[in-house]
Amino acid sequence: MYSPLMKTEVIEEPTLPPLQKESRVIGKLHQNLPGPTVIFTAGIHGNEPTGVQALQNVFDELLTLDITIRGTVYALKGNLPALEKQVRYIDEDLNRVWIQNRMENLDEIEAENSELDQQKELWQLLSQIINEEAGPFYFFDLHTTSCQTIPFLTVNDTLLNRKFTAQYPAPIILGIEEYLDGPLLSYVNELGYVAFGFEGGQHDDPQAIINHEDFVQLTLGFTGSADPQSLNHFFHFNRLKEASETKYRFYEIYDYQPVAQNDQFSMTPGYRNFQRVHEGELLAELNNEKIYAQEVTNIFMPLYQQQGDDGFFFVRRIPKPFLWLSKFLRKFSFLLTIMPGVKWNDRSKTSLLVNENIARFFTKQIFHLFGFRSKKLSGKYWLMHNRERTSRDREYIDTKWYS
């Protein structure tokens, strides 16, 4: 039965053209009940339409079943022109442009660039939601991959994200922010909110729609937006668990193969996510040079589409003791500065400057344990950013999952 208190509606935002405003907002659910603000985005890559379809399906079902919603739930489309043309992007990857210096000057940037226009509109909408709604806030971005895959979560490695994502029965991939510059939810996560991506399957695979629907339904229960029992929680949990096909929960990305804009890259056919590869195995060709595996490992997100700048990644399982140890050590990140070749990069103590010639015996994994992610600077230095410094733990402290 339809409830007059729950309706799919566009956001009152007169500064946006009505047609674009209506097409970007898939739906908004609100019943004037206190609760969190949950934002789902999908289609930030235009060749990944299954997340958009899944959000529409779930919103239609919630309305039909008259499910009580606490707080506010938004479903938004990302790259509208790319979705219409069914391509990853038009001028530049919309999920690689959320970089701090660009965001600080976003309103002043002028260029004939489709993704720049989309970024400005999307951020204006997200900023309005953050400014006008009550917290706690949750951000989720729905994606698919060009290869065959089980569903999984891509997560910036903060303890806040770890704690929330541990509720899902799917593999959790940590550390992707070290290898990708400018994803939307990496930027949002650096603002301190719970924010991560969900990969539902392969592009255009009908199963990906089902996996996305299960993720959305579970997320509404985990955030407290809806009663899990009313959402048939165990059905969606078990179905997503079955689709995940793995007993291993946490992985980390530790290496990848970049692909420049004009490179000629060809992945060896037939690989799928998490597949085991062996030393000497032919993985791909880059500019007519063959790329072989240097060790036994797991391949991740091999590139089987023309657009994209990440050829493939390597992942490995994270032992549980490593996760427990890192949770403890992140309280003592200041101890790193007593090591030779390591010093604070700024007065805010949010990042470290590491001289690799002096601190060459301290691997990236040690800094990961203390909650830092790395970025190579010119010359001999690494810049290590503190993942935990901006986390808004206090805003989530009263939630069921946090306690």
Side-chain angles (χ1 to χ4, degrees):
M1 181 178 64
Y2 178 79
S3 169
L5 295 177
M6 180 188 294
K7 56 183 178 180
T8 301
E9 59 184 8
V10 298
I11 298 172
E12 295 299 328
E13 188 176 11
T15 56
L16 292 182
L19 181 60
Q20 291 186 350
K21 177 178 60 176
E22 291 173 359
S23 59
R24 185 175 303 284
V25 181
I26 300 170
K28 173 185 175 182
L29 301 175
H30 181 70
Q31 296 179 334
N32 293 320
L33 297 174
T37 299
V38 175
I39 302 100
F40 295 98
T41 53
I44 199 167
H45 291 141
N47 62 334
E48 303 178 17
T50 59
V52 175
Q53 184 61 58
L55 284 169
Q56 186 63 68
N57 292 349
V58 172
F59 271 54
D60 289 345
E61 180 178 345
L62 294 174
L63 291 169
T64 300
L65 298 178
D66 193 20
I67 301 297
T68 298
I69 295 294
R70 303 188 66 86
T72 310
V73 183
Y74 292 88
L76 309 176
K77 295 180 187 177
N79 196 332
L80 303 183
L83 279 167
E84 183 177 356
K85 295 185 178 182
Q86 300 179 10
V87 295
R88 184 178 176 90
Y89 58 85
I90 306 297
D91 295 313
E92 62 180 336
D93 193 328
L94 184 57
N95 207 33
R96 299 292 185 272
V97 296
W98 305 85
I99 301 170
Q100 184 65 37
N101 59 357
R102 174 162 169 159
M103 295 302 296
E104 290 174 354
N105 303 285
L106 189 60
D107 292 338
E108 286 72 40
I109 300 175
E110 295 183 4
E112 293 184 2
N113 182 311
S114 177
E115 274 68 35
L116 177 60
D117 294 337
Q118 293 297 295
Q119 184 181 18
K120 288 182 177 181
E121 291 180 10
L122 183 55
W123 184 240
Q124 183 180 7
L125 189 53
L126 291 174
S127 297
Q128 178 184 334
I129 293 171
I130 293 172
N131 290 330
E132 295 182 359
E133 296 286 2
F137 290 90
Y138 300 85
F139 296 82
F140 309 98
D141 198 16
L142 308 186
H143 286 270
T144 50
T145 70
S146 62
C147 67
Q148 289 186 346
T149 185
I150 59 175
F152 60 92
L153 284 64
T154 53
V155 180
N156 284 22
D157 187 14
T158 66
L159 297 180
L160 193 63
N161 273 346
R162 276 195 207 174
K163 194 174 186 68
F164 185 83
T165 55
Q167 300 175 101
Y168 295 92
I172 298 166
I173 315 302
L174 301 177
I176 197 167
E177 71 272 22
E178 285 194 323
Y179 299 93
L180 302 183
D181 289 329
L184 167 61
L185 292 195
S186 286
Y187 178 73
V188 173
N189 194 241
E190 289 175 1
L191 299 178
Y193 302 111
V194 170
F196 58 89
F198 176 74
E199 302 276 354
Q202 191 173 22
H203 303 334
D204 303 321
D205 183 355
Q207 180 62 40
I209 299 177
I210 296 173
N211 294 337
H212 278 126
E213 290 174 356
D214 290 336
F215 172 80
V216 173
Q217 295 272 13
L218 289 175
T219 299
L220 293 176
F222 291 152
T223 58
S225 300
D227 178 20
Q229 290 186 345
S230 68
L231 298 172
N232 202 354
H233 172 89
F234 290 108
F235 170 78
H236 294 291
F237 186 93
N238 291 328
R239 190 166 66 173
L240 184 60
K241 182 178 180 180
E242 183 177 355
S244 297
E245 298 177 359
T246 180
K247 62 181 180 180
Y248 299 105
R249 297 296 310 282
F250 285 91
Y251 292 78
E252 68 168 344
I253 296 174
Y254 70 93
D255 202 359
Y256 88 124
Q257 175 61 56
V259 177
Q261 185 174 3
N262 296 320
D263 283 344
Q264 299 297 315
F265 178 81
S266 176
M267 193 77 205
T268 300
Y271 285 112
R272 59 179 297 165
N273 273 344
F274 305 101
Q275 183 173 331
R276 199 76 165 163
V277 298
H278 298 86
E279 183 179 356
E281 191 171 332
L282 177 62
L283 303 178
E285 288 192 17
L286 179 63
N287 299 326
N288 297 319
E289 292 190 9
K290 298 183 185 301
I291 302 174
Y292 297 94
Q294 301 300 307
E295 59 182 346
V296 177
T297 186
N298 297 91
I299 201 163
F300 181 65
M301 294 182 71
L303 182 66
Y304 289 112
Q305 60 190 15
Q306 291 184 347
Q307 292 178 310
D309 51 9
D310 311 302
F312 54 84
F313 299 84
F314 291 131
V315 296
R316 57 192 170 203
R317 300 166 191 160
I318 305 176
K320 285 185 178 180
F322 190 94
L323 295 170
W324 296 332
L325 180 60
S326 69
K327 182 178 179 180
F328 172 76
L329 289 178
R330 291 188 185 197
K331 302 175 183 178
F332 304 98
S333 60
F334 64 90
L335 293 176
L336 290 171
T337 58
I338 67 175
M339 298 179 179
V342 181
K343 63 180 181 180
W344 291 116
N345 182 58
D346 50 35
R347 292 183 178 180
S348 64
K349 297 184 179 181
T350 59
S351 60
L352 294 170
L353 194 62
V354 181
N355 185 326
E356 65 179 353
N357 291 344
I358 300 175
R360 60 185 181 275
F361 299 112
F362 306 125
T363 66
K364 286 201 300 182
Q365 280 189 297
I366 292 178
F367 290 96
H368 289 171
L369 281 170
F370 283 87
F372 287 83
R373 63 181 176 88
S374 64
K375 184 176 182 180
K376 178 71 172 179
L377 299 179
S378 58
K380 59 186 179 181
Y381 290 99
W382 287 88
L383 188 63
M384 300 284 183
H385 290 281
N386 190 326
R387 290 178 167 114
E388 304 297 337
R389 194 72 176 180
T390 58
S391 287
R392 300 170 179 261
D393 293 67
R394 292 183 180 180
E395 297 183 15
Y396 303 91
I397 199 168
D398 294 327
T399 61
K400 289 183 179 180
W401 62 268
Y402 191 92
S403 59

